[in-house]
Amino acid sequence: MLRIRFHGRGGQGVKTSSRILGRAAFSAGFFAQDFPIYGAERRGAPVTAFTRISHSPIMERGYIFNPHIVVVMDETLLADAQARPLEDLPRGGVALINSARGPIFSEDQAGHVFMRINFTDPALRIIGKPIVSVSAAAAAAKLCGLRKQHVEEAVREELSELGVRDELLEKNLMLMSETYDNTPRYSIKVDEERVGAVELVDPASGRVVYSDVFAAGNAVHRATGNWRVFRPVVDYGKCTGCKVCFIYCPDSAISLDAENKPVIDYEHCKGCLICVVECPIRAISSVREVEIFA
Amino acid sequence: MTRYKTLRDFPVEEYLSPGSTMCAGCGAMLVLRAFHKVLGPNVVFVNAAGCLTLLQVYPYTPNKSSWMYTAFASAPAGAQGIRDALDILMEKGRVNSFEDLKVVVVTGDGAAYDIGLQSTSGAIERGLDFYYLVYDNEAYGNTGFQKSGATPYGSATATTPPTERNPTGYTGVKKDLFEIWRSHKPPYIATVAPSHMVDMLRKIETASQFKGPKLFIAFSSCPTGWGFDPSLSVRISRLAVECGIWPLKESVYGKVRHTYIPTVLKPVEEYLRHQNRFRHLFTPRKQETAIASIQEQVNNYWLEAAKNEGFRITVAKPVTIAPP
């Protein structure tokens, strides 16, 4: 699967760009997904959009955190602390940047490939506005290996849906064609595809701090044990294995061993102490918590 | 025959992982966990805005099953969509019958009693084959405990605080959702409480044999909103049942039966006095009239039920207990 993330500003055509790319891929026979995210802000504010392209049905949902290509439609966003367009771009990933300066190809220390193409000036020359949706889509499509005819078809359909009149549509097609031709062919080599449950391990503690969204029951990676002020402690000498504490633990933080005796998961027990109150023979006591888990 | 005779029969399989964002001592979690255990792994929950919505905070979920979030008013409509889609796909042979899912709507009382009432009514009317679980904590708990249609008489909430002019807190009555639903004649309705776990497990089991709407109102003690120590969550639930505040009953095609009869009702004060939301009824001065009125509502309810179903019950007289 190819994951492309677009960064731009409200009014530049970021969302349209991701849609054109998605539709071009779809026309070419791929499975595609595209969607934008923008907050309560308006024109000029950072906007992000996403496109996924795949040979098989796309089961992945949500924002793209591990893009193969980031398209930066306004180069000032590279330094924007909110937009952070290069975040999680892997070694070998391409940052396609709308820029009037600098070499076409360069590489930074992290192994990101920077490709600079001028979107804005041709847009001003041909359509008379700094709207670069078509240019960004065309350049990204070429990087993805899509054919020009599919991009053309997508531009026609997407812009017609937006109510763009014929004359302007033709100009946009010229702009698309020019940008497509000006974009060098490049085959993307990224280190590896992350598959299955993705986990991010905190190097200091060795604990899993982020878990893939598809891993069912992954809330287990959230330690809620630090909520606790008092810790329930089972007196196994008294415990009869009646299961009451297990039944009344709202957080599934008590499991049972082979003899039905409770095993308290202190990493998650929030210290509500229902088990202390409900234990019919008072075999669980509460002790002031002094350990720290996180 | 029931699989659930004693607490020892409580299923061991766990479908909710620890590490959720719910408050310590959350009553709704006790209910949801029990439901999931009885219904098994093949369920899809359809949720409307409420506390439990925050179970799924990206990228984390405690669920080992599926969960769909809908707008506040439209959880039953979402359930209809899923049910229809599954039925059609099974008919076309694109989904195997062993992949079928039970569709369970999970909402708080805000969605069930107020905002989603009309879409629930529509779903029951259409005979949608689904479960509906309301975790009723008697106010909009997720947003700071504002009054809902489920708020009982005398409760203080963020929007019905006791004041000098109105010292009682909320002075209306709790909507009778059980009767609103019953007027639609669905196959099964029940009230449940986490303290009476065997009763709850059996009711979910009983409901499973019916096709059509299967509706549950669950007492969900709320340490944060009601103001009591989290460790008392189950004890408060038990008091609510023993005092007669929360009757445990079921309705099968409209015929009501109480499944647990607290033969000698405890005075409601025993339930009220443990909770900050009723504290103004006891201090700075005790509001005898308000408390007596709550007792009277409970007594009338049970005397009527005893007459209809032919059981004996001893109601409580308002008694005086020193404020806590």
Side-chain angles (χ1 to χ4, degrees):
Chain A
M1 188 192 317
L2 267 178
R3 301 182 185 86
I4 301 98
R5 194 168 68 199
F6 292 83
H7 294 269
R9 295 188 182 276
Q12 280 192 305
V14 182
K15 175 185 163 190
T16 310
S17 196
S18 73
R19 290 188 59 144
I20 293 172
L21 179 59
R23 193 186 283 257
F26 183 72
S27 303
F30 293 98
F31 291 87
Q33 192 187 67
D34 58 70
F35 56 99
I37 171 173
Y38 39 86
E41 291 168 281
R42 299 290 191 274
R43 189 155 286 239
V47 173
T48 309
F50 310 91
T51 306
R52 290 189 176 95
I53 301 172
S54 176
H55 288 288
S56 48
I58 301 170
M59 300 309 287
E60 199 172 286
R61 295 290 184 271
Y63 310 151
I64 292 174
F65 291 111
N66 48 344
H68 300 97
I69 303 169
V70 290
V71 184
V72 186
M73 293 162 71
D74 179 334
E75 115 185 272
T76 62
L77 287 172
L78 284 170
D80 189 289
Q82 189 195 345
R84 297 192 302 278
L86 299 182
E87 192 161 89
D88 289 335
L89 185 67
R91 182 168 285 276
V94 176
L96 177 64
I97 298 162
N98 172 15
S99 173
R101 312 171 286 148
I104 293 185
F105 281 108
S106 64
E107 198 168 314
D108 71 359
Q109 286 181 337
H112 301 145
V113 178
F114 290 81
M115 187 188 285
R116 291 183 178 77
I117 313 272
N118 191 343
F119 296 159
T120 306
D121 288 313
L124 288 171
R125 175 164 44 80
I126 297 174
I127 58 175
K129 288 178 190 168
I131 296 176
V132 294
S133 50
V134 164
S135 331
K142 188 151 178 190
L143 280 184
C144 294
L146 295 171
R147 293 217 183 117
K148 198 167 166 183
Q149 71 190 75
H150 294 126
V151 189
E152 184 178 329
E153 199 177 313
V155 169
R156 267 186 205 286
E157 290 183 38
E158 287 293 334
L159 295 193
S160 305
E161 268 181 28
L162 290 172
V164 171
R165 58 184 200 285
D166 287 352
E167 188 195 345
L168 185 56
L169 178 60
E170 291 309 320
K171 285 180 179 173
N172 268 292
L173 286 170
M174 274 171 65
L175 178 59
M176 184 281 292
S177 178
E178 184 180 315
T179 320
Y180 188 93
D181 294 340
N182 284 344
T183 306
R185 288 209 179 277
Y186 183 82
S187 71
I188 301 158
K189 291 185 192 70
V190 288
D191 284 353
E192 93 289 359
E193 180 99 352
R194 293 196 284 186
V195 283
V198 181
E199 291 180 344
L200 183 67
V201 180
D202 175 23
S205 64
R207 288 173 48 88
V208 176
V209 289
Y210 167 79
S211 181
D212 187 82
V213 68
F214 301 110
N218 66 0
V220 74
H221 296 308
R222 276 172 46 100
T224 44
N226 285 340
W227 296 21
R228 191 169 64 227
V229 182
F230 290 94
R231 118 192 325 238
V233 178
V234 182
D235 179 346
Y236 288 101
K238 283 191 196 170
C239 175
T240 60
C242 72
K243 284 170 80 167
V244 165
C245 54
F246 168 73
I247 293 165
Y248 288 127
C249 178
D251 283 296
S252 317
I254 298 180
S255 52
L256 298 172
D257 67 10
E259 292 162 11
N260 271 352
K261 301 272 174 104
V263 180
I264 300 180
D265 170 1
Y266 290 114
E267 200 171 306
H268 295 100
C269 164
K270 292 172 184 165
C272 71
L273 304 183
I274 290 179
C275 53
V276 174
V277 171
E278 293 303 318
C279 177
I281 50 159
R282 300 200 166 275
I284 309 179
S285 52
S286 81
V287 180
R288 173 78 175 92
E289 182 60 80
V290 285
E291 267 187 58
I292 296 173
F293 277 90
Chain B
M1 271 305 278
T2 175
R3 283 168 59 196
Y4 308 107
K5 294 193 188 78
T6 70
L7 281 180
R8 284 180 181 274
D9 301 323
F10 190 75
V12 178
E13 304 78 36
E14 209 67 79
Y15 301 111
L16 289 172
S17 84
S20 80
T21 48
M22 294 300 106
C23 301
C26 176
M29 282 300 279
L30 289 171
V31 179
L32 183 69
R33 185 164 164 256
F35 257 75
H36 212 332
K37 280 170 183 268
V38 179
L39 295 179
N42 293 338
V43 296
V44 51
F45 291 101
V46 187
N47 171 245
C51 287
L52 289 189
T53 301
L54 298 180
L55 274 182
Q56 335 288 334
V57 177
Y58 191 87
Y60 294 115
T61 174
N63 274 65
K64 292 175 187 168
S65 51
S66 300
W67 183 279
M68 186 174 89
Y69 175 58
T70 67
F72 221 137
S74 47
Q80 179 90 49
I82 295 179
R83 184 67 267 156
D84 289 353
L86 284 168
D87 287 345
I88 290 167
L89 289 173
M90 282 194 295
E91 202 180 290
K92 290 185 171 175
R94 286 169 60 189
V95 166
N96 287 317
S97 57
F98 62 81
E99 290 175 306
D100 191 18
L101 301 172
K102 293 169 182 163
V103 183
V104 186
V105 169
V106 177
T107 75
D109 49 285
Y113 284 71
D114 300 338
I115 298 174
L117 184 55
Q118 51 83 10
S119 68
T120 316
S121 174
I124 304 175
E125 189 201 346
R126 294 190 301 271
L128 175 62
D129 187 22
F130 77 131
Y131 297 80
Y132 193 138
L133 167 62
V134 186
Y135 55 98
D136 183 358
N137 72 339
E138 308 195 316
Y140 288 88
N142 193 35
T143 47
F145 211 67
Q146 292 84 4
K147 183 233 153 239
S148 81
T151 302
Y153 175 88
S155 171
T157 70
T159 43
T160 60
T163 57
E164 212 167 294
R165 279 188 61 188
N166 168 32
T168 316
Y170 180 54
T171 50
V173 289
K174 184 183 170 92
K175 278 189 203 172
D176 193 344
L177 187 62
F178 187 90
E179 288 301 319
I180 295 173
W181 280 351
R182 196 165 75 90
S183 68
H184 294 69
K185 305 275 189 295
Y188 194 78
I189 318 173
T191 60
V192 293
S195 52
H196 293 64
M197 195 53 91
V198 179
D199 178 78
M200 177 172 355
L201 300 178
R202 280 189 191 179
K203 281 173 174 165
I204 307 164
E205 187 190 35
T206 307
S208 305
Q209 63 184 301
F210 297 105
K211 195 171 161 62
K214 300 167 270 279
L215 315 159
F216 292 84
I217 311 174
F219 182 88
S220 299
S221 30
C222 174
T224 311
W226 298 1
F228 62 83
D229 190 86
S231 63
L232 300 177
S233 225
V234 176
R235 190 167 279 190
I236 294 276
S237 162
R238 194 170 292 122
L239 279 171
V241 175
E242 299 292 342
C243 296
I245 296 252
W246 192 266
L248 294 175
K249 55 183 170 179
E250 64 184 7
S251 156
V252 178
Y253 290 108
K255 186 164 169 51
V256 182
R257 184 178 74 90
H258 284 75
T259 54
Y260 176 81
I261 295 149
T263 325
V264 180
L265 287 183
K266 286 186 175 163
V268 291
E269 279 184 51
E270 289 193 29
Y271 167 72
L272 303 175
R273 64 205 287 272
H274 288 285
Q275 306 173 46
N276 279 346
R277 62 173 175 155
F278 295 116
R279 212 161 78 103
H280 56 282
L281 300 179
F282 297 94
T283 178
R285 58 177 184 81
K286 194 170 173 187
Q287 299 184 39
E288 304 276 3
T289 335
I291 298 172
S293 148
I294 297 172
Q295 186 68 62
E296 200 186 335
Q297 282 175 32
V298 169
N299 289 355
N300 289 345
Y301 172 89
W302 281 101
L303 290 173
E304 174 84 16
K307 199 171 75 185
N308 289 343
E309 289 173 43
F311 58 78
R312 292 171 67 83
I313 193 147
T314 309
V315 296
K317 286 204 176 63
V319 290
T320 308
I321 297 175

Coordinates of all heavy atoms in Angstrom, one line a residue, chain B residues 64 108 176 184 211 273:
Chain B
K64 N -12.4 -6.3 22.8 CA -11.9 -7.3 21.9 C -13.0 -7.6 20.8 O -12.8 -8.4 20.0 CB -11.5 -8.6 22.7 CG -10.3 -8.3 23.5 CD -9.9 -9.4 24.5 CE -8.8 -8.9 25.4 NZ -8.5 -9.7 26.5
G108 N -26.0 5.9 27.4 CA -26.3 6.3 28.8 C -27.7 6.7 28.9 O -28.5 6.6 27.9
D176 N -40.4 7.1 33.5 CA -40.5 5.7 33.6 C -40.2 5.0 32.2 O -41.1 4.7 31.5 CB -41.9 5.3 34.1 CG -41.9 3.8 34.5 OD1 -41.0 3.1 34.2 OD2 -42.9 3.5 35.2
H184 N -44.6 -0.2 23.7 CA -44.3 -0.6 22.4 C -44.5 -2.1 22.2 O -44.4 -2.6 21.1 CB -42.9 -0.2 22.0 CG -42.6 1.2 21.9 ND1 -42.6 2.1 23.0 CD2 -42.3 2.0 20.8 CE1 -42.3 3.3 22.6 NE2 -42.1 3.3 21.3
K211 N -36.4 -13.0 19.4 CA -35.9 -12.3 18.2 C -36.7 -10.9 18.3 O -37.9 -10.9 18.5 CB -36.3 -13.0 16.9 CG -35.6 -12.5 15.7 CD -35.8 -13.4 14.5 CE -35.6 -12.8 13.2 NZ -34.2 -12.3 13.0
R273 N -28.5 8.6 52.0 CA -27.6 9.3 52.9 C -26.1 9.0 52.5 O -25.2 9.7 53.0 CB -27.8 9.0 54.3 CG -27.6 7.5 54.7 CD -28.4 7.2 55.9 NE -27.8 7.8 57.1 CZ -26.9 7.2 57.9 NH1 -26.4 6.0 57.6 NH2 -26.4 7.8 58.9

